[in-house]
Amino acid sequence: MASSQAVAGNVSVFVLDRDGKPVIDAVVILKPAAGGAPRTPLPTSATISQQRMLFLPPMTLVPAGGKINFLNNDPWEHHVKATGAGFSSFLLDNSTSFEFRMDGKPDGKPGISTEVTVTKPGPILLGCHIHGSMRGHAYVTDSPWALITTVEGEAPFQDVPNGPATIRVWHADQLIDLPIQTISVGNALSRIEVKLTVTPRRRRI
Ligand SMILES: [Cu+2]
């Protein structure tokens, strides 16, 4: 006999700051024990442009093995440097480090780009050797269930396989790793709140 029983549920993770306000640009990594993958997979490549001394977007999510395309839209050169940004990444592990110089955008022509393949899961801090104020982040995820929070602080996951799942939340200003939470995904919507221990700095845009 065919069963119409749902085997997946929706999980909305809300990330809040220390004062209870929604946090944009937090990374939420969900790992259902049953595995699976979302219907809409993460793009395997992302573009981060250098524009008016900013990395845009300031937070980028890319799957392990994916590519980041750095595109210089400024008419002057940048010297991008990238280092593992997580607390645990300080442990003599240079595998997420890379750097390269980028020529400025030629007058009337498209900007010049450099492509990097990222393999090691975790956060990457982006800076520029020439312009000390430039700061951006990327996060390499080894789970296909990964989202960046919206302006409402929400990471809405759909059709997550039922059963246990872990949730990890990362934010650039949250220097002490938050504990990984275990939830149970059921047919009803699971609404999970995760609070940072800090109030993130406001963005410079
Ligand atoms: Cu620069």
Side-chain angles (χ1 to χ4, degrees):
M1 207 160 47
S3 166
S4 62
Q5 191 186 8
V7 291
N10 295 339
V11 177
S12 260
V13 180
F14 289 85
V15 179
L16 306 173
D17 68 15
R18 193 181 53 183
D19 304 318
K21 301 222 173 65
V23 173
I24 191 175
D25 280 350
V27 174
V28 181
I29 309 286
L30 183 70
K31 284 190 180 174
R39 209 174 298 163
T40 309
L42 283 175
T44 54
S45 73
T47 295
I48 303 176
S49 54
Q50 289 73 64
Q51 208 160 310
R52 289 168 289 120
M53 309 291 228
L54 297 171
F55 288 102
L56 294 177
M59 180 69 228
T60 297
L61 190 59
V62 64
K67 292 179 166 62
I68 302 177
N69 188 44
F70 291 88
L71 172 64
N72 188 2
N73 280 322
D74 283 328
W76 53 82
E77 68 178 52
H78 291 294
H79 191 151
V80 172
K81 58 177 176 177
T83 47
F87 186 72
S88 52
S89 303
F90 287 130
L91 300 171
L92 297 174
D93 186 343
N94 292 322
S95 59
T96 50
S97 297
F98 53 86
E99 64 169 80
F100 50 88
R101 184 179 282 274
M102 303 184 83
D103 284 335
K105 180 181 177 312
D107 210 15
K109 291 192 179 155
I112 292 161
S113 63
T114 300
E115 194 175 71
V116 174
T117 300
V118 286
T119 53
K120 187 184 171 242
I124 298 174
L125 171 64
L126 301 171
C128 175
H129 280 300
I130 303 170
H131 310 107
S133 67
M134 290 178 69
R135 181 173 175 265
H137 291 89
Y139 195 100
V140 181
T141 171
D142 57 354
S143 170
W145 304 92
L147 291 171
I148 295 175
T149 53
T150 63
V151 71
E152 289 84 24
E154 185 182 11
F157 295 95
Q158 281 163 359
D159 298 329
V160 182
N162 280 3
T166 60
I167 293 174
R168 174 195 288 272
V169 171
W170 181 87
H171 186 278
D173 289 347
Q174 175 69 44
L175 298 181
I176 297 165
D177 282 348
L178 293 168
I180 294 174
Q181 292 194 22
T182 302
I183 62 163
S184 177
V185 180
N187 295 346
L189 171 70
S190 309
R191 194 183 189 281
I192 316 290
E193 278 187 7
V194 176
K195 216 169 179 183
L196 305 184
T197 60
V198 296
T199 295
R201 289 182 263 186
R202 289 183 62 186
R203 286 213 307 250
R204 198 164 64 85
I205 304 173

PDB file of all heavy atoms in Angstrom, residues 119-155:
ATOM      1  N   THR A 119      39.168  23.867  -1.144  1.00  0.00           N
ATOM      2  CA  THR A 119      38.880  22.461  -0.808  1.00  0.00           C
ATOM      3  C   THR A 119      38.673  22.245   0.685  1.00  0.00           C
ATOM      4  O   THR A 119      37.940  21.349   1.077  1.00  0.00           O
ATOM      5  CB  THR A 119      40.032  21.556  -1.277  1.00  0.00           C
ATOM      6  OG1 THR A 119      41.253  22.072  -0.748  1.00  0.00           O
ATOM      7  CG2 THR A 119      40.116  21.512  -2.788  1.00  0.00           C
ATOM      8  N   LYS A 120      39.319  23.064   1.520  1.00  0.00           N
ATOM      9  CA  LYS A 120      39.257  22.799   2.952  1.00  0.00           C
ATOM     10  C   LYS A 120      38.041  23.483   3.568  1.00  0.00           C
ATOM     11  O   LYS A 120      37.894  24.705   3.484  1.00  0.00           O
ATOM     12  CB  LYS A 120      40.536  23.304   3.629  1.00  0.00           C
ATOM     13  CG  LYS A 120      40.596  22.901   5.080  1.00  0.00           C
ATOM     14  CD  LYS A 120      41.818  23.478   5.769  1.00  0.00           C
ATOM     15  CE  LYS A 120      41.718  23.237   7.250  1.00  0.00           C
ATOM     16  NZ  LYS A 120      41.666  24.462   8.035  1.00  0.00           N
ATOM     17  N   PRO A 121      37.137  22.711   4.195  1.00  0.00           N
ATOM     18  CA  PRO A 121      35.949  23.331   4.793  1.00  0.00           C
ATOM     19  C   PRO A 121      36.326  24.294   5.914  1.00  0.00           C
ATOM     20  O   PRO A 121      37.289  24.062   6.641  1.00  0.00           O
ATOM     21  CB  PRO A 121      35.171  22.142   5.356  1.00  0.00           C
ATOM     22  CG  PRO A 121      35.717  20.947   4.665  1.00  0.00           C
ATOM     23  CD  PRO A 121      37.150  21.251   4.354  1.00  0.00           C
ATOM     24  N   GLY A 122      35.539  25.354   6.024  1.00  0.00           N
ATOM     25  CA  GLY A 122      35.747  26.315   7.099  1.00  0.00           C
ATOM     26  C   GLY A 122      35.797  27.731   6.563  1.00  0.00           C
ATOM     27  O   GLY A 122      35.655  27.961   5.361  1.00  0.00           O
ATOM     28  N   PRO A 123      35.975  28.699   7.477  1.00  0.00           N
ATOM     29  CA  PRO A 123      35.959  30.100   7.084  1.00  0.00           C
ATOM     30  C   PRO A 123      37.278  30.562   6.483  1.00  0.00           C
ATOM     31  O   PRO A 123      38.335  30.029   6.803  1.00  0.00           O
ATOM     32  CB  PRO A 123      35.694  30.822   8.411  1.00  0.00           C
ATOM     33  CG  PRO A 123      36.184  29.889   9.453  1.00  0.00           C
ATOM     34  CD  PRO A 123      36.099  28.498   8.920  1.00  0.00           C
ATOM     35  N   ILE A 124      37.193  31.522   5.596  1.00  0.00           N
ATOM     36  CA  ILE A 124      38.364  32.153   4.987  1.00  0.00           C
ATOM     37  C   ILE A 124      38.238  33.658   5.182  1.00  0.00           C
ATOM     38  O   ILE A 124      37.212  34.250   4.854  1.00  0.00           O
ATOM     39  CB  ILE A 124      38.448  31.843   3.475  1.00  0.00           C
ATOM     40  CG1 ILE A 124      38.607  30.336   3.236  1.00  0.00           C
ATOM     41  CG2 ILE A 124      39.605  32.608   2.837  1.00  0.00           C
ATOM     42  CD1 ILE A 124      38.548  29.954   1.759  1.00  0.00           C
ATOM     43  N   LEU A 125      39.298  34.254   5.747  1.00  0.00           N
ATOM     44  CA  LEU A 125      39.338  35.706   5.921  1.00  0.00           C
ATOM     45  C   LEU A 125      40.045  36.322   4.719  1.00  0.00           C
ATOM     46  O   LEU A 125      41.138  35.897   4.356  1.00  0.00           O
ATOM     47  CB  LEU A 125      40.085  36.046   7.216  1.00  0.00           C
ATOM     48  CG  LEU A 125      40.413  37.512   7.452  1.00  0.00           C
ATOM     49  CD1 LEU A 125      39.159  38.351   7.611  1.00  0.00           C
ATOM     50  CD2 LEU A 125      41.310  37.656   8.684  1.00  0.00           C
ATOM     51  N   LEU A 126      39.394  37.316   4.112  1.00  0.00           N
ATOM     52  CA  LEU A 126      39.961  37.982   2.945  1.00  0.00           C
ATOM     53  C   LEU A 126      40.441  39.373   3.309  1.00  0.00           C
ATOM     54  O   LEU A 126      39.757  40.107   4.033  1.00  0.00           O
ATOM     55  CB  LEU A 126      38.902  38.102   1.838  1.00  0.00           C
ATOM     56  CG  LEU A 126      38.306  36.791   1.327  1.00  0.00           C
ATOM     57  CD1 LEU A 126      37.121  37.086   0.414  1.00  0.00           C
ATOM     58  CD2 LEU A 126      39.355  35.963   0.626  1.00  0.00           C
ATOM     59  N   GLY A 127      41.615  39.731   2.818  1.00  0.00           N
ATOM     60  CA  GLY A 127      42.139  41.071   3.030  1.00  0.00           C
ATOM     61  C   GLY A 127      42.940  41.490   1.818  1.00  0.00           C
ATOM     62  O   GLY A 127      42.986  40.787   0.802  1.00  0.00           O
ATOM     63  N   CYS A 128      43.570  42.655   1.917  1.00  0.00           N
ATOM     64  CA  CYS A 128      44.387  43.168   0.825  1.00  0.00           C
ATOM     65  C   CYS A 128      45.679  43.707   1.417  1.00  0.00           C
ATOM     66  O   CYS A 128      45.639  44.471   2.386  1.00  0.00           O
ATOM     67  CB  CYS A 128      43.630  44.253   0.061  1.00  0.00           C
ATOM     68  SG  CYS A 128      44.608  45.040  -1.224  1.00  0.00           S
ATOM     69  N   HIS A 129      46.825  43.301   0.840  1.00  0.00           N
ATOM     70  CA  HIS A 129      48.114  43.778   1.341  1.00  0.00           C
ATOM     71  C   HIS A 129      48.279  45.280   1.145  1.00  0.00           C
ATOM     72  O   HIS A 129      49.006  45.926   1.890  1.00  0.00           O
ATOM     73  CB  HIS A 129      49.252  43.066   0.592  1.00  0.00           C
ATOM     74  CG  HIS A 129      49.525  41.678   1.100  1.00  0.00           C
ATOM     75  ND1 HIS A 129      49.896  41.432   2.401  1.00  0.00           N
ATOM     76  CD2 HIS A 129      49.480  40.477   0.483  1.00  0.00           C
ATOM     77  CE1 HIS A 129      50.073  40.117   2.548  1.00  0.00           C
ATOM     78  NE2 HIS A 129      49.811  39.516   1.416  1.00  0.00           N
ATOM     79  N   ILE A 130      47.609  45.818   0.133  1.00  0.00           N
ATOM     80  CA  ILE A 130      47.801  47.241  -0.193  1.00  0.00           C
ATOM     81  C   ILE A 130      46.846  48.118   0.606  1.00  0.00           C
ATOM     82  O   ILE A 130      47.215  49.194   1.067  1.00  0.00           O
ATOM     83  CB  ILE A 130      47.596  47.467  -1.706  1.00  0.00           C
ATOM     84  CG1 ILE A 130      48.562  46.573  -2.502  1.00  0.00           C
ATOM     85  CG2 ILE A 130      47.815  48.942  -2.061  1.00  0.00           C
ATOM     86  CD1 ILE A 130      48.274  46.536  -3.998  1.00  0.00           C
ATOM     87  N   HIS A 131      45.616  47.646   0.774  1.00  0.00           N
ATOM     88  CA  HIS A 131      44.585  48.448   1.448  1.00  0.00           C
ATOM     89  C   HIS A 131      44.150  47.729   2.723  1.00  0.00           C
ATOM     90  O   HIS A 131      43.334  46.801   2.688  1.00  0.00           O
ATOM     91  CB  HIS A 131      43.393  48.670   0.513  1.00  0.00           C
ATOM     92  CG  HIS A 131      43.797  49.176  -0.842  1.00  0.00           C
ATOM     93  ND1 HIS A 131      43.765  48.392  -1.975  1.00  0.00           N
ATOM     94  CD2 HIS A 131      44.284  50.386  -1.230  1.00  0.00           C
ATOM     95  CE1 HIS A 131      44.206  49.100  -3.019  1.00  0.00           C
ATOM     96  NE2 HIS A 131      44.520  50.316  -2.580  1.00  0.00           N
ATOM     97  N   GLY A 132      44.677  48.188   3.840  1.00  0.00           N
ATOM     98  CA  GLY A 132      44.459  47.498   5.115  1.00  0.00           C
ATOM     99  C   GLY A 132      43.016  47.474   5.576  1.00  0.00           C
ATOM    100  O   GLY A 132      42.638  46.642   6.400  1.00  0.00           O
ATOM    101  N   SER A 133      42.188  48.384   5.036  1.00  0.00           N
ATOM    102  CA  SER A 133      40.788  48.435   5.497  1.00  0.00           C
ATOM    103  C   SER A 133      39.925  47.374   4.826  1.00  0.00           C
ATOM    104  O   SER A 133      38.802  47.134   5.257  1.00  0.00           O
ATOM    105  CB  SER A 133      40.201  49.817   5.202  1.00  0.00           C
ATOM    106  OG  SER A 133      40.090  50.005   3.808  1.00  0.00           O
ATOM    107  N   MET A 134      40.438  46.752   3.767  1.00  0.00           N
ATOM    108  CA  MET A 134      39.599  45.799   3.029  1.00  0.00           C
ATOM    109  C   MET A 134      39.464  44.494   3.811  1.00  0.00           C
ATOM    110  O   MET A 134      40.448  43.920   4.251  1.00  0.00           O
ATOM    111  CB  MET A 134      40.188  45.522   1.640  1.00  0.00           C
ATOM    112  CG  MET A 134      40.076  46.703   0.699  1.00  0.00           C
ATOM    113  SD  MET A 134      40.814  46.385  -0.918  1.00  0.00           S
ATOM    114  CE  MET A 134      39.679  45.161  -1.595  1.00  0.00           C
ATOM    115  N   ARG A 135      38.213  44.050   3.950  1.00  0.00           N
ATOM    116  CA  ARG A 135      37.946  42.878   4.753  1.00  0.00           C
ATOM    117  C   ARG A 135      36.731  42.170   4.173  1.00  0.00           C
ATOM    118  O   ARG A 135      35.715  42.796   3.873  1.00  0.00           O
ATOM    119  CB  ARG A 135      37.649  43.349   6.186  1.00  0.00           C
ATOM    120  CG  ARG A 135      37.365  42.272   7.207  1.00  0.00           C
ATOM    121  CD  ARG A 135      37.264  42.948   8.580  1.00  0.00           C
ATOM    122  NE  ARG A 135      36.883  42.009   9.633  1.00  0.00           N
ATOM    123  CZ  ARG A 135      35.647  41.807  10.052  1.00  0.00           C
ATOM    124  NH1 ARG A 135      34.644  42.464   9.508  1.00  0.00           N
ATOM    125  NH2 ARG A 135      35.395  40.952  11.030  1.00  0.00           N
ATOM    126  N   GLY A 136      36.840  40.868   3.980  1.00  0.00           N
ATOM    127  CA  GLY A 136      35.708  40.093   3.501  1.00  0.00           C
ATOM    128  C   GLY A 136      35.839  38.671   3.991  1.00  0.00           C
ATOM    129  O   GLY A 136      36.852  38.313   4.607  1.00  0.00           O
ATOM    130  N   HIS A 137      34.817  37.867   3.743  1.00  0.00           N
ATOM    131  CA  HIS A 137      34.853  36.480   4.205  1.00  0.00           C
ATOM    132  C   HIS A 137      34.228  35.543   3.188  1.00  0.00           C
ATOM    133  O   HIS A 137      33.313  35.907   2.461  1.00  0.00           O
ATOM    134  CB  HIS A 137      34.104  36.324   5.538  1.00  0.00           C
ATOM    135  CG  HIS A 137      34.797  36.977   6.684  1.00  0.00           C
ATOM    136  ND1 HIS A 137      34.571  38.289   7.007  1.00  0.00           N
ATOM    137  CD2 HIS A 137      35.725  36.513   7.556  1.00  0.00           C
ATOM    138  CE1 HIS A 137      35.332  38.601   8.059  1.00  0.00           C
ATOM    139  NE2 HIS A 137      36.039  37.542   8.401  1.00  0.00           N
ATOM    140  N   ALA A 138      34.761  34.333   3.186  1.00  0.00           N
ATOM    141  CA  ALA A 138      34.117  33.251   2.456  1.00  0.00           C
ATOM    142  C   ALA A 138      34.019  32.081   3.422  1.00  0.00           C
ATOM    143  O   ALA A 138      34.757  32.014   4.405  1.00  0.00           O
ATOM    144  CB  ALA A 138      34.927  32.873   1.222  1.00  0.00           C
ATOM    145  N   TYR A 139      33.084  31.189   3.176  1.00  0.00           N
ATOM    146  CA  TYR A 139      32.972  29.991   4.001  1.00  0.00           C
ATOM    147  C   TYR A 139      32.844  28.794   3.074  1.00  0.00           C
ATOM    148  O   TYR A 139      32.006  28.774   2.177  1.00  0.00           O
ATOM    149  CB  TYR A 139      31.760  30.076   4.941  1.00  0.00           C
ATOM    150  CG  TYR A 139      31.820  29.045   6.046  1.00  0.00           C
ATOM    151  CD1 TYR A 139      32.244  29.395   7.327  1.00  0.00           C
ATOM    152  CD2 TYR A 139      31.477  27.711   5.798  1.00  0.00           C
ATOM    153  CE1 TYR A 139      32.332  28.444   8.339  1.00  0.00           C
ATOM    154  CE2 TYR A 139      31.566  26.759   6.808  1.00  0.00           C
ATOM    155  CZ  TYR A 139      31.991  27.139   8.077  1.00  0.00           C
ATOM    156  OH  TYR A 139      32.079  26.192   9.067  1.00  0.00           O
ATOM    157  N   VAL A 140      33.717  27.816   3.294  1.00  0.00           N
ATOM    158  CA  VAL A 140      33.717  26.606   2.475  1.00  0.00           C
ATOM    159  C   VAL A 140      32.974  25.528   3.250  1.00  0.00           C
ATOM    160  O   VAL A 140      33.341  25.190   4.386  1.00  0.00           O
ATOM    161  CB  VAL A 140      35.158  26.157   2.173  1.00  0.00           C
ATOM    162  CG1 VAL A 140      35.150  24.908   1.289  1.00  0.00           C
ATOM    163  CG2 VAL A 140      35.953  27.289   1.512  1.00  0.00           C
ATOM    164  N   THR A 141      31.905  25.012   2.657  1.00  0.00           N
ATOM    165  CA  THR A 141      31.072  24.041   3.378  1.00  0.00           C
ATOM    166  C   THR A 141      31.233  22.630   2.810  1.00  0.00           C
ATOM    167  O   THR A 141      31.297  22.443   1.595  1.00  0.00           O
ATOM    168  CB  THR A 141      29.586  24.448   3.357  1.00  0.00           C
ATOM    169  OG1 THR A 141      28.806  23.363   3.898  1.00  0.00           O
ATOM    170  CG2 THR A 141      29.090  24.712   1.936  1.00  0.00           C
ATOM    171  N   ASP A 142      31.307  21.649   3.720  1.00  0.00           N
ATOM    172  CA  ASP A 142      31.363  20.251   3.284  1.00  0.00           C
ATOM    173  C   ASP A 142      29.984  19.600   3.356  1.00  0.00           C
ATOM    174  O   ASP A 142      29.838  18.419   3.081  1.00  0.00           O
ATOM    175  CB  ASP A 142      32.385  19.454   4.110  1.00  0.00           C
ATOM    176  CG  ASP A 142      32.100  19.507   5.595  1.00  0.00           C
ATOM    177  OD1 ASP A 142      31.174  20.241   6.015  1.00  0.00           O
ATOM    178  OD2 ASP A 142      32.807  18.805   6.347  1.00  0.00           O
ATOM    179  N   SER A 143      28.963  20.384   3.743  1.00  0.00           N
ATOM    180  CA  SER A 143      27.591  19.877   3.710  1.00  0.00           C
ATOM    181  C   SER A 143      26.828  20.638   2.632  1.00  0.00           C
ATOM    182  O   SER A 143      26.951  21.864   2.532  1.00  0.00           O
ATOM    183  CB  SER A 143      26.903  20.087   5.064  1.00  0.00           C
ATOM    184  OG  SER A 143      25.512  19.805   4.938  1.00  0.00           O
ATOM    185  N   PRO A 144      26.034  19.943   1.812  1.00  0.00           N
ATOM    186  CA  PRO A 144      25.247  20.665   0.808  1.00  0.00           C
ATOM    187  C   PRO A 144      24.139  21.505   1.434  1.00  0.00           C
ATOM    188  O   PRO A 144      23.586  22.386   0.785  1.00  0.00           O
ATOM    189  CB  PRO A 144      24.659  19.542  -0.060  1.00  0.00           C
ATOM    190  CG  PRO A 144      24.669  18.333   0.805  1.00  0.00           C
ATOM    191  CD  PRO A 144      25.816  18.486   1.757  1.00  0.00           C
ATOM    192  N   TRP A 145      23.839  21.212   2.726  1.00  0.00           N
ATOM    193  CA  TRP A 145      22.815  21.990   3.435  1.00  0.00           C
ATOM    194  C   TRP A 145      23.507  23.157   4.126  1.00  0.00           C
ATOM    195  O   TRP A 145      23.945  23.049   5.275  1.00  0.00           O
ATOM    196  CB  TRP A 145      22.086  21.123   4.464  1.00  0.00           C
ATOM    197  CG  TRP A 145      21.450  19.886   3.904  1.00  0.00           C
ATOM    198  CD1 TRP A 145      22.002  18.650   3.823  1.00  0.00           C
ATOM    199  CD2 TRP A 145      20.130  19.772   3.359  1.00  0.00           C
ATOM    200  NE1 TRP A 145      21.117  17.773   3.256  1.00  0.00           N
ATOM    201  CE2 TRP A 145      19.957  18.430   2.963  1.00  0.00           C
ATOM    202  CE3 TRP A 145      19.078  20.672   3.165  1.00  0.00           C
ATOM    203  CZ2 TRP A 145      18.772  17.965   2.383  1.00  0.00           C
ATOM    204  CZ3 TRP A 145      17.906  20.213   2.591  1.00  0.00           C
ATOM    205  CH2 TRP A 145      17.759  18.872   2.208  1.00  0.00           C
ATOM    206  N   ALA A 146      23.628  24.275   3.443  1.00  0.00           N
ATOM    207  CA  ALA A 146      24.313  25.431   4.014  1.00  0.00           C
ATOM    208  C   ALA A 146      23.695  26.693   3.448  1.00  0.00           C
ATOM    209  O   ALA A 146      23.406  26.763   2.248  1.00  0.00           O
ATOM    210  CB  ALA A 146      25.804  25.370   3.689  1.00  0.00           C
ATOM    211  N   LEU A 147      23.479  27.675   4.315  1.00  0.00           N
ATOM    212  CA  LEU A 147      22.873  28.936   3.880  1.00  0.00           C
ATOM    213  C   LEU A 147      23.507  30.099   4.626  1.00  0.00           C
ATOM    214  O   LEU A 147      24.030  29.938   5.729  1.00  0.00           O
ATOM    215  CB  LEU A 147      21.366  28.941   4.177  1.00  0.00           C
ATOM    216  CG  LEU A 147      20.465  27.991   3.373  1.00  0.00           C
ATOM    217  CD1 LEU A 147      19.063  27.981   3.967  1.00  0.00           C
ATOM    218  CD2 LEU A 147      20.427  28.407   1.911  1.00  0.00           C
ATOM    219  N   ILE A 148      23.417  31.277   4.021  1.00  0.00           N
ATOM    220  CA  ILE A 148      23.795  32.529   4.684  1.00  0.00           C
ATOM    221  C   ILE A 148      22.499  33.181   5.161  1.00  0.00           C
ATOM    222  O   ILE A 148      21.517  33.220   4.413  1.00  0.00           O
ATOM    223  CB  ILE A 148      24.533  33.461   3.705  1.00  0.00           C
ATOM    224  CG1 ILE A 148      25.865  32.834   3.282  1.00  0.00           C
ATOM    225  CG2 ILE A 148      24.773  34.825   4.336  1.00  0.00           C
ATOM    226  CD1 ILE A 148      26.599  33.627   2.220  1.00  0.00           C
ATOM    227  N   THR A 149      22.491  33.682   6.383  1.00  0.00           N
ATOM    228  CA  THR A 149      21.248  34.249   6.909  1.00  0.00           C
ATOM    229  C   THR A 149      20.846  35.522   6.167  1.00  0.00           C
ATOM    230  O   THR A 149      21.677  36.308   5.737  1.00  0.00           O
ATOM    231  CB  THR A 149      21.357  34.567   8.411  1.00  0.00           C
ATOM    232  OG1 THR A 149      22.516  35.374   8.634  1.00  0.00           O
ATOM    233  CG2 THR A 149      21.446  33.299   9.240  1.00  0.00           C
ATOM    234  N   THR A 150      19.537  35.686   6.069  1.00  0.00           N
ATOM    235  CA  THR A 150      18.958  36.871   5.433  1.00  0.00           C
ATOM    236  C   THR A 150      19.008  38.053   6.406  1.00  0.00           C
ATOM    237  O   THR A 150      19.460  37.929   7.539  1.00  0.00           O
ATOM    238  CB  THR A 150      17.478  36.612   5.106  1.00  0.00           C
ATOM    239  OG1 THR A 150      16.786  36.406   6.350  1.00  0.00           O
ATOM    240  CG2 THR A 150      17.315  35.391   4.219  1.00  0.00           C
ATOM    241  N   VAL A 151      18.484  39.188   5.957  1.00  0.00           N
ATOM    242  CA  VAL A 151      18.431  40.375   6.811  1.00  0.00           C
ATOM    243  C   VAL A 151      17.548  40.117   8.039  1.00  0.00           C
ATOM    244  O   VAL A 151      17.726  40.742   9.095  1.00  0.00           O
ATOM    245  CB  VAL A 151      17.954  41.602   5.988  1.00  0.00           C
ATOM    246  CG1 VAL A 151      16.491  41.506   5.633  1.00  0.00           C
ATOM    247  CG2 VAL A 151      18.276  42.903   6.692  1.00  0.00           C
ATOM    248  N   GLU A 152      16.642  39.145   7.930  1.00  0.00           N
ATOM    249  CA  GLU A 152      15.819  38.758   9.093  1.00  0.00           C
ATOM    250  C   GLU A 152      16.558  37.771   9.997  1.00  0.00           C
ATOM    251  O   GLU A 152      15.981  37.284  10.980  1.00  0.00           O
ATOM    252  CB  GLU A 152      14.506  38.114   8.639  1.00  0.00           C
ATOM    253  CG  GLU A 152      13.506  39.065   7.994  1.00  0.00           C
ATOM    254  CD  GLU A 152      13.772  39.292   6.509  1.00  0.00           C
ATOM    255  OE1 GLU A 152      14.404  38.410   5.893  1.00  0.00           O
ATOM    256  OE2 GLU A 152      13.378  40.345   5.986  1.00  0.00           O
ATOM    257  N   GLY A 153      17.801  37.450   9.628  1.00  0.00           N
ATOM    258  CA  GLY A 153      18.581  36.505  10.426  1.00  0.00           C
ATOM    259  C   GLY A 153      18.203  35.062  10.188  1.00  0.00           C
ATOM    260  O   GLY A 153      18.570  34.174  10.954  1.00  0.00           O
ATOM    261  N   GLU A 154      17.475  34.810   9.087  1.00  0.00           N
ATOM    262  CA  GLU A 154      16.914  33.484   8.878  1.00  0.00           C
ATOM    263  C   GLU A 154      17.698  32.664   7.848  1.00  0.00           C
ATOM    264  O   GLU A 154      18.135  33.176   6.816  1.00  0.00           O
ATOM    265  CB  GLU A 154      15.455  33.607   8.391  1.00  0.00           C
ATOM    266  CG  GLU A 154      14.767  32.256   8.268  1.00  0.00           C
ATOM    267  CD  GLU A 154      13.329  32.347   7.747  1.00  0.00           C
ATOM    268  OE1 GLU A 154      12.917  33.420   7.282  1.00  0.00           O
ATOM    269  OE2 GLU A 154      12.636  31.311   7.817  1.00  0.00           O
ATOM    270  N   ALA A 155      17.855  31.391   8.149  1.00  0.00           N
ATOM    271  CA  ALA A 155      18.364  30.413   7.180  1.00  0.00           C
ATOM    272  C   ALA A 155      17.276  29.356   7.021  1.00  0.00           C
ATOM    273  O   ALA A 155      17.138  28.476   7.868  1.00  0.00           O
ATOM    274  CB  ALA A 155      19.663  29.786   7.669  1.00  0.00           C
TER     275      ALA A 155
END
